[in-house]
């Protein structure tokens, strides 16, 4: 974390009491979190220009309140106290800071919830699941229990899908599901189609399975249906992969009319569609899934990583028919055995009690706020984004290349990924994907975006190297 310096003017009490008061206030605001290390007492006394004994008394008062704990030789660490209890931690359940991992901002993550009431509700669901802990540590049958499939069906119904339970499978994430599906549909050397600028995971899967991945030309509405038909005639593809809503990385959403055209071509040439609906739940109103328009042709993958949390490695897969599910189960069991029963039970609980909807509403609102920050610092038309996408697609100007720009932004806290990662065929554009999700706070995000905007105003050699 950044160096913490308390603003003692926020408390009307004596200075030593003010130090403890501000620790508690900053816990509530998120400026301090459980596990943070406070500055050494002599260092803080010097920064605040007050006596060492005043700071020492302040730390003692904070420790009396249970807000901090001092470890000889290690320092003073935030533990939470009353604020911890208000946020839903049990008194003996202080988070283990060793579990806090570095955040990879190059991943396209949803904003992380920070609302205290929502966090408490999420923890309540986790506590409820834990009451059945022993049974959740056993092997489970693949695809989810009946109640998990019921929750999946309820969740998918928000996208207009009403498949029977025999066609629904709870899987350990979208990526393993994609690997299993394409391993079933195509053999090494055979062709599958995708957008020409597409999700990097699809490129990795094609490479691992030794498939010939061919990128289709695109316009503002996604892949061009005529080009899809021509590829079906000449290349005899085994499947088409699409990420049709808030597409990663271009953020485009294929409109309903184009979706109908794509489905018509797929039906004419008997080409299965693999619909990666990772972001489909983010818009409140979006076109119907391809699986609703051509259910007999489409493998639908409704991942939870983008609409609830990146660490919840679950995806609901809808097979085109119950018969297609048989080889899918065999393929999934060979690689993954089963989805985590703990994660599955938690997702089911959150869907049933409405917590998942609350998380989704938070993600929508925060994504919109972050996109508004982008609109404030970058000229309209200089980038591609959606009002609620987690990223933007940024064409580079003034002599910037994707490599020099990525290097320049490395210290900013923004995840900048060069276009090479997304390009299937042909030379990569001088463009980057800029990720806005994850735990970054708005003030830090705004500062990073302003740093980026300043750099883009001129040539690379004119840009400041300080952030």
């Amino acid at each position: 974390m950044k160096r913490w310096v308390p603003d003692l003017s926020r408390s009307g009490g004596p200075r030593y009491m003010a130090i403890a008061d501000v620790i508690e206030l900053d816990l509530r605001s998120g400026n301090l979190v459980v596990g943070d290390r406070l500055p050494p007492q002599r260092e803080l006394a010097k920064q605040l220009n007050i006596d060492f004994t005043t700071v020492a008394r302040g730390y003692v008062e904070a420790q009396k309140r249970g807000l901090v704990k001092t470890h000889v030789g290690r320092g003073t660490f935030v533990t939470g106290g009353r604020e911890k209890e208000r946020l839903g931690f049990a008194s003996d359940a202080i988070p283990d800071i060793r579990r806090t991992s570095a955040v990879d901002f190059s991943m396209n993550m949803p904003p992380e919830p920070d609302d205290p009431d929502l966090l408490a509700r999420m923890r309540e669901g986790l506590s409820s699941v834990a009451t059945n802990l022993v049974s959740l540590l056993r092997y489970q049958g693949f695809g989810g229990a009946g109640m998990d499939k019921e929750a999946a069906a309820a969740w998918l119904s928000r996208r207009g899908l009403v498949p029977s339970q025999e066609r629904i499978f709870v899987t350990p994430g979208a990526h393993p599901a994609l690997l299993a599906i394409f391993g079933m549909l195509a053999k090494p050397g055979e062709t599958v189609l995708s957008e020409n600028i597409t999700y990097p995971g699809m490129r990795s899967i094609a490479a691992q399975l030794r498939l010939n991945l061919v990128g289709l030309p695109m316009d503002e509405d996604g892949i061009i249906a005529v080009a899809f038909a021509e590829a079906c005639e000449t290349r005899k593809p085994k499947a088409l992969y699409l990420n049709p809503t808030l597409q990663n990385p271009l953020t485009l959403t294929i409109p309903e009319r184009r979706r109908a055209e794509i489905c018509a071509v797929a039906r004419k040439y008997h080409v299965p569609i693999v619909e990666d609906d990772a972001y489909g739940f983010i818009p409140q109103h979006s076109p119907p899934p391809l699986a609703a328009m051509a259910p007999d042709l489409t493998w639908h993958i409704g991942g939870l990583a983008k609409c609830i949390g990146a660490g919840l490695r679950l995806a609901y897969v809808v097979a085109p028919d119950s018969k297609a599910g048989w080889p899918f189960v065999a393929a999934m069991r060979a690689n993954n055995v089963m989805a985590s029963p703990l994660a599955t039970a938690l997702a089911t609980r959150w869907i049933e009690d409405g917590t998942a909807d609350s998380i989704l509403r938070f993600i929508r609102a925060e994504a919109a706020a972050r996109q508004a920050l982008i609109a404030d610092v970058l000229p309209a038309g200089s980038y591609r984004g959606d009002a609620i996408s987690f990223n933007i697609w940024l064409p580079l100007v003034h002599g910037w290349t994707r490599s020099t720009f990525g290097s320049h932004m490395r210290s900013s806290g923004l995840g900048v990924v060069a276009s090479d990662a997304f390009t299937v065929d042909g030379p990569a554009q001088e463009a980057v994907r800029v990720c806005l999700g994850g735990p970054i706070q708005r003030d830090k995000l705004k500062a990073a975006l302003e740093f980026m905007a300043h750099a883009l105003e001129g040539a690379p050699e004119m840009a400041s190297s300080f952030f």
Side-chain angles (χ1 to χ4, degrees):
M1 63 164 284
K2 66 182 180 181
R3 180 63 68 183
W4 178 76
V5 180
D7 177 6
L8 302 188
S9 66
R10 297 164 66 194
S11 172
R15 288 182 177 179
Y16 81 93
M17 292 289 288
I19 290 173
D21 290 343
V22 173
I23 290 173
E24 191 159 2
L25 290 170
D26 281 350
L27 264 167
R28 292 179 182 176
S29 68
N31 196 36
L32 284 174
V33 298
V34 174
D36 279 346
R37 185 174 184 264
L38 296 184
Q41 295 174 20
R42 292 189 184 279
E43 180 181 314
L44 186 60
K46 184 177 180 180
Q47 289 178 321
L48 296 177
N49 195 27
I50 60 178
D51 292 338
F52 164 77
T53 54
T54 301
V55 175
R57 289 182 68 191
Y59 278 25
V60 169
E61 174 62 27
Q63 186 157 324
K64 287 180 180 177
R65 301 184 193 180
L67 299 170
V68 302
K69 186 173 180 62
T70 298
H71 301 270
V72 177
R74 292 177 54 205
T76 300
F77 295 84
V78 176
T79 57
R82 293 193 297 269
E83 184 63 17
K84 174 191 67 181
E85 294 171 5
R86 188 178 73 84
L87 294 179
F89 289 111
S91 59
D92 60 348
I94 299 171
D96 188 343
I97 60 174
R98 296 172 298 171
R99 296 289 181 193
T100 303
S101 59
V103 178
D104 183 356
F105 284 101
S106 67
M107 300 294 286
N108 208 30
M109 300 176 289
E112 294 185 359
D114 59 1
D115 176 73
D117 292 334
L118 176 56
L119 291 172
R121 188 173 176 181
M122 292 167 68
R123 293 187 184 105
E124 182 182 351
L126 184 59
S127 297
S128 176
V129 166
T131 61
N132 199 29
L133 184 60
V134 173
S135 66
L136 295 175
L137 296 178
R138 301 172 187 150
Y139 282 110
Q140 311 284 325
F142 183 83
M147 64 182 298
D148 301 317
K149 291 194 174 192
E150 288 175 7
W155 187 249
L156 292 167
S157 70
R158 293 161 168 77
R159 295 285 288 125
L161 297 175
V162 287
S164 62
Q165 283 199 16
E166 292 76 20
R167 294 171 54 209
I168 299 174
F169 301 92
V170 182
T171 70
H175 201 94
L178 287 168
L179 188 64
I181 292 167
F182 280 101
M184 292 162 41
L185 297 179
K187 298 176 183 177
E190 292 182 328
T191 295
V192 296
L193 306 175
S194 72
E195 309 103 328
N196 194 44
I197 299 178
T198 195
Y199 166 54
M202 184 59 223
R203 296 184 63 211
S204 299
I205 288 168
Q208 183 172 340
L209 296 175
R210 293 179 291 157
L211 305 179
N212 178 32
L213 184 64
V214 174
L216 294 174
M218 307 171 70
D219 61 16
E220 295 298 303
D221 290 337
I223 65 166
I224 300 170
V226 172
F228 176 30
E230 290 174 353
C232 290
E233 288 278 2
T234 59
R235 296 182 178 272
K236 311 301 181 186
K238 296 299 181 179
L240 168 68
Y241 168 84
L242 289 177
N243 176 205
T245 303
L246 296 181
Q247 190 251 13
N248 179 11
L250 297 179
T251 76
L252 66 84
T253 293
I254 300 176
E256 185 170 358
R257 181 176 178 180
R258 178 67 60 85
R259 295 182 187 220
E261 293 171 354
I262 291 168
C263 288
V265 173
R267 189 171 300 285
K268 177 179 178 180
Y269 292 97
H270 307 288
V271 176
I273 299 170
V274 181
E275 180 178 33
D276 184 358
D277 202 36
Y279 306 90
F281 287 91
I282 304 303
Q284 287 187 289
H285 305 287
S286 61
L290 298 163
M293 304 174 77
D296 56 320
L297 291 174
T298 305
W299 287 88
H300 179 88
I301 305 171
L304 300 185
K306 308 301 183 184
C307 57
I308 296 182
L312 193 65
R313 307 308 300 168
L314 290 174
Y316 300 139
V317 173
V318 180
D321 53 59
S322 57
K323 184 178 178 180
W326 303 339
F328 175 69
V329 169
M332 289 297 300
R333 285 183 67 90
N335 286 319
N336 299 277
V337 182
M338 62 184 181
S340 164
L342 277 167
T344 302
L346 182 60
T348 296
R349 168 74 183 202
W350 281 350
I351 289 170
E352 289 178 342
D353 70 10
T355 301
D357 286 314
S358 296
I359 297 171
L360 187 54
R361 284 193 294 270
F362 171 87
I363 290 172
R364 286 176 182 146
E366 183 61 23
R370 297 184 185 194
Q371 284 290 336
L373 291 178
I374 282 277
D376 284 342
V377 300
L378 290 183
S382 65
Y383 64 95
R384 179 169 191 141
D386 186 275
I388 51 173
S389 61
F390 306 159
N391 72 283
I392 62 169
W393 182 253
L394 182 65
L396 299 173
V397 294
H398 302 310
W400 283 99
T401 65
R402 52 199 188 273
S403 59
T404 57
F405 188 75
S407 297
H408 181 73
M409 295 299 297
R410 193 160 291 134
S411 63
S412 69
L414 291 178
V416 176
V417 182
S419 57
D420 306 69
F422 312 95
T423 304
V424 179
D425 292 317
Q429 303 174 19
E430 292 297 350
V432 295
R433 184 188 70 180
V434 181
C435 297
L436 311 175
I440 190 169
Q441 296 176 343
R442 287 189 204 172
D443 58 343
K444 294 181 180 178
L445 176 60
K446 184 177 181 181
L449 293 174
E450 289 172 343
F451 176 73
M452 181 177 74
H454 173 74
L456 292 170
E457 290 175 356
E461 56 270 19
M462 301 298 293
S464 168
S465 60
F466 298 100
F467 181 76

